[in-house]
Amino acid sequence: MFVNYKLLKVLLMLNVSVIQPGIEQTFSHVDERDKRRKVKKLEEKRQWSLLSVFLACLLACTVTTAVGVLILSLVYINNTQLHSEPELRATTIAILQKAVDPKFQFLNHLPKSKVFEFPGGAIQWARYRNNIKDYLSIEEEAFGRSLNSQRSQMTLGTLRIKSNGLRAPHWHFNANEHGYLVQGTAWIGVVDDGHVVTTYNVTAGQVIFFPKNTLHWIKNVGNEDCFFLLFFSTHDELQTLDVDDAFFSTPEDIASRSLKPEGGINFIRTFHKQKEDQGVNLPHNLAELVTNASYTQSPDNLVWRYFYDLKGSKEYRFPGGIIQLAQYWKNGSELSKNEKIFSTFLNQHQNTLALSTLKIYNNGLRQPHFHFNANEMGYVISGCAKVGIINTQGTTEFDIHIGDVVFFPIGTQHYIKSACDEDLLFILAFSTGDQLQTLDMDDYLQATADHILAQLFFKKQKLFRVTM
C-alpha cells in the first residue's frame, strides 16, 4: 500500500486549522469561569469585611455607652451624697404631694393598715418604713415619710391582747415607749437597770412608760381584750427584740454557760422555736403550762416611775372641753406624791414624750393653736371631727373618725372641731420630755398691741380695745 505523504501532510494541516479554534474557544470558557469565581470570592470577602467593621463599631459603641452610664451613675451617687438630708427630704415630700392628697402628710386611716396577727392578739402601725414595699398604699407611705422627713420623733401602734395573752418580754433599741390603756386590765413587768423586777396592774385610762432598752412585758389578766395605744419616740423604723428571739439566736454553748441550768447544754437543746411569731403569745395548752401564776405588786417608789393615773389627774378646762396631761412639770407643787415620782423619772430620760387626753364636747372647738417645743400625734378614740392645719402652704382641712391618726409638726397651727352627736375623745402624744409649751390664737392676738392690730388689719384701733 502506497501512502501519499504529500496528501497526508495537507490533510493534517487542514485538521489542525479546524481543531485549533475549538481548542482556543474551550480554554477561553475556562478562563471566564475562573474569573467569575475570583470576582465572587472577592465580593464575598468584601462583604464579610464590611460586616466585621460594622460589628466592631457596634461593640465599641456598646462598651463606650456602658462605661459612660457607669461614670454618670457614680457621679450622680456622689453628688446625691453631697446633698444635705433636709434637701432630700424636701424633694421627697414634694414628689409625694404631687402624687397624693396633701392631707395624708397629716392623716393616717389606721383601720385600713395591715393587721399583724398573733396567737394572743394583734398589732397595727402608723409609722415610717425603710422598705417602701411594706406600705399598703401611697397614702400610708405619704404619712410615714412625713413623720420621718419632719423628724417627728414619733411612731404609733395599737396593741390588742386577748384574755390571758402575753406581749412577750422585749425591749426597743431606739425608742422610749409610752402607752395608754383604752380597755381592759393588764399586769406589767419591768426589769430596770438595778435588776429589780417591778410589777403592777393597769386599768383603762392609765399610762405606762418604758425607757429605751428597758426589758418589759404586758399580760392581760382580765376577761375582756386589752387595747393599748402605744407611742414610741422615734421617726425611724422601730427596732425591737423579743426575749425568745434573743434566746434562740444565741449559740447553745453560750446560752448554757451563761444561764448554767441543771442539765447544761442538753437542757438548752430541749427548747424549740415556734414556727409562728410569738410577739403576742397565747399557747393552746396554757392551762397545762401555768398552774399557779403570781402577780405581786412592787413598792410604790418603783411602780410609779413607769405608771401614771392619767384619768385621775388634774383636769384643765377650756370653753369646748377638757385636757389632762401626763408630762414633766417644772413646778410640781400641785402634783401628788406618785405623780411627782413619774414626772421626775420621765425628765431623767432623753427623748421622752408627753401624753394627754383631749375631750371636745359635741360641737365644741379646740381653737387654733400651736406648740413651741413639740410635734403632736393623736388617735381618735370616739366621735368625729373636722381638723384644720395652717402652715406656709396654706390651710389643709379634712374629716377624722374613730381609729384615725393625725400628725401636727412643731409650730404648725391647727384646730379641731367636734362634728358628731357624741363627744370627741383624742389620745395625744407630744415629742418633748419637758413641759409642753402651747400658744392659742386668742392668747397671741390679745397679747398684740391694739395699734399693731389696727395697722395690720386696716381696722380702727378702738375696735380692738373693745373686742380683744
Side-chain angles (χ1 to χ4, degrees):
M1 179 175 179
F2 297 96
V3 179
N4 190 337
Y5 288 100
K6 290 183 178 180
L7 179 61
L8 181 59
K9 184 177 180 180
V10 171
L11 291 172
L12 287 171
M13 291 177 67
L14 288 172
N15 286 335
V16 169
S17 63
V18 172
I19 294 170
Q20 183 69 31
I23 295 173
E24 290 177 358
Q25 187 176 3
T26 301
F27 277 101
S28 68
H29 286 310
V30 172
D31 291 340
E32 286 296 327
R33 285 196 298 271
D34 288 338
K35 286 180 182 180
R36 282 196 294 271
R37 288 196 193 98
K38 289 179 180 179
V39 170
K40 185 176 181 180
K41 287 182 179 180
L42 287 174
E43 288 177 352
E44 290 176 352
K45 287 182 179 181
R46 187 179 298 111
Q47 290 175 354
W48 277 106
S49 297
L50 291 174
L51 181 60
S52 299
V53 172
F54 172 76
L55 292 174
C57 292
L58 180 62
L59 178 62
C61 291
T62 302
V63 172
T64 303
T65 302
V67 172
V69 169
L70 178 61
I71 293 173
L72 289 174
S73 300
L74 293 173
V75 171
Y76 174 77
I77 291 172
N78 289 333
N79 287 339
T80 301
Q81 292 175 343
L82 292 176
H83 286 283
S84 63
E85 287 187 0
E87 290 175 341
L88 290 175
R89 293 191 194 99
T91 302
T92 302
I93 292 300
I95 293 172
L96 284 170
Q97 287 176 345
K98 293 179 181 178
V100 298
D101 191 319
K103 72 180 181 183
F104 289 108
Q105 298 174 69
F106 314 106
L107 172 65
N108 178 288
H109 292 309
L110 189 60
K112 295 182 179 180
S113 67
K114 181 178 179 179
V115 180
F116 294 86
E117 295 280 358
F118 302 94
I123 297 176
Q124 284 182 284
W125 294 103
R127 74 193 224 184
Y128 169 75
R129 298 282 190 175
N130 288 328
N131 187 347
I132 192 173
K133 294 180 181 179
D134 290 335
Y135 294 111
L136 293 185
S137 66
I138 57 174
E139 291 81 10
E140 188 179 63
E141 179 189 351
F143 184 81
R145 289 189 177 275
S146 177
L147 294 181
N148 187 258
S149 66
Q150 296 285 350
R151 307 192 68 80
S152 66
Q153 200 179 310
M154 286 187 169
T155 286
L156 182 144
T158 61
L159 170 64
R160 187 174 295 278
I161 307 177
K162 299 175 184 177
S163 180
N164 291 315
L166 170 70
R167 174 62 184 101
H170 64 283
W171 67 94
H172 309 289
F173 294 97
N174 63 335
N176 301 295
E177 178 179 353
H178 299 253
Y180 178 89
L181 182 55
V182 179
Q183 171 189 297
T185 304
W187 180 74
I188 309 295
V190 180
V191 182
D192 67 15
D193 58 359
H195 308 291
V196 176
V197 177
T198 301
T199 61
Y200 51 92
N201 290 326
V202 179
T203 57
Q206 296 177 326
V207 165
I208 53 178
F209 166 58
F210 307 123
K212 180 171 60 175
N213 293 321
T214 298
L215 179 68
H216 58 279
W217 62 87
I218 305 173
K219 173 75 180 286
N220 183 344
V221 293
N223 295 322
E224 63 177 343
D225 287 358
C226 280
F227 183 65
F228 278 94
L229 293 179
L230 303 176
F231 297 90
F232 301 88
S233 61
T234 180
H235 46 262
D236 294 320
E237 183 98 52
L238 184 64
Q239 299 175 16
T240 302
L241 186 63
D242 290 356
V243 165
D244 58 331
D245 293 328
F247 177 83
F248 288 111
S249 297
T250 303
E252 294 174 342
D253 61 324
I254 301 298
S256 177
R257 292 179 61 180
S258 300
L259 301 176
K260 300 179 178 61
E262 185 177 345
I265 196 169
N266 290 327
F267 176 76
I268 297 298
R269 287 171 177 167
T270 64
F271 290 81
H272 301 286
K273 187 173 178 62
Q274 298 296 316
K275 293 181 179 179
E276 55 190 359
D277 191 345
Q278 295 294 302
V280 191
N281 166 284
L282 185 58
H284 66 278
N285 60 338
L286 180 62
E288 301 174 17
L289 302 174
V290 179
T291 56
N292 186 23
S294 175
Y295 302 104
T296 57
Q297 186 83 356
S298 293
D300 284 351
N301 65 319
L302 296 178
V303 168
W304 292 93
R305 294 189 298 178
Y306 308 101
F307 173 65
Y308 190 87
D309 185 17
L310 183 57
K311 68 179 180 181
S313 65
K314 181 178 178 180
E315 295 181 347
Y316 295 88
R317 296 184 175 272
F318 60 94
I322 301 172
I323 296 173
Q324 291 176 285
L325 288 159
Q327 66 169 9
Y328 166 71
W329 295 93
K330 292 181 179 179
N331 181 2
S333 60
E334 296 185 3
L335 300 178
S336 68
K337 178 182 176 181
N338 292 334
E339 288 175 341
K340 287 180 181 179
I341 293 173
F342 180 86
S343 175
T344 302
F345 189 67
L346 192 69
N347 191 245
Q348 289 173 355
H349 295 82
Q350 293 183 342
N351 300 323
T352 55
L353 305 176
L355 259 60
S356 168
T357 55
L358 170 64
K359 179 183 286 187
I360 303 178
Y361 303 135
N362 175 30
N363 203 37
L365 171 69
R366 178 67 181 99
Q367 68 164 293
H369 64 282
F370 63 92
H371 309 289
F372 293 95
N373 62 335
N375 298 294
E376 177 180 355
M377 179 179 281
Y379 179 95
V380 182
I381 295 291
S382 62
C384 63
K386 186 173 290 293
V387 172
I389 296 172
I390 305 168
N391 57 22
T392 55
Q393 285 75 46
T395 300
T396 301
E397 196 173 62
F398 51 86
D399 297 324
I400 55 173
H401 303 85
I402 294 174
D404 283 341
V405 177
V406 293
F407 168 61
F408 307 125
I410 186 171
T412 300
Q413 182 161 269
H414 54 282
Y415 56 86
I416 306 170
K417 183 181 182 300
S418 177
C420 288
D421 293 336
E422 63 178 322
D423 295 344
L424 175 73
L425 180 60
F426 252 117
I427 307 301
L428 303 172
F430 303 91
S431 61
T432 179
D434 294 322
Q435 187 167 317
L436 184 65
Q437 299 174 8
T438 303
L439 189 59
D440 291 351
M441 174 180 276
D442 62 346
D443 290 329
Y444 65 72
L445 285 179
Q446 289 174 6
T448 304
D450 54 13
H451 63 88
I452 298 296
L453 295 174
Q455 183 173 339
L456 177 64
F457 292 108
F458 296 86
K459 295 285 187 180
K460 291 183 178 181
Q461 182 175 350
K462 63 181 181 180
L463 178 65
F464 296 101
R465 291 175 181 169
V466 175
T467 58
M468 292 188 180

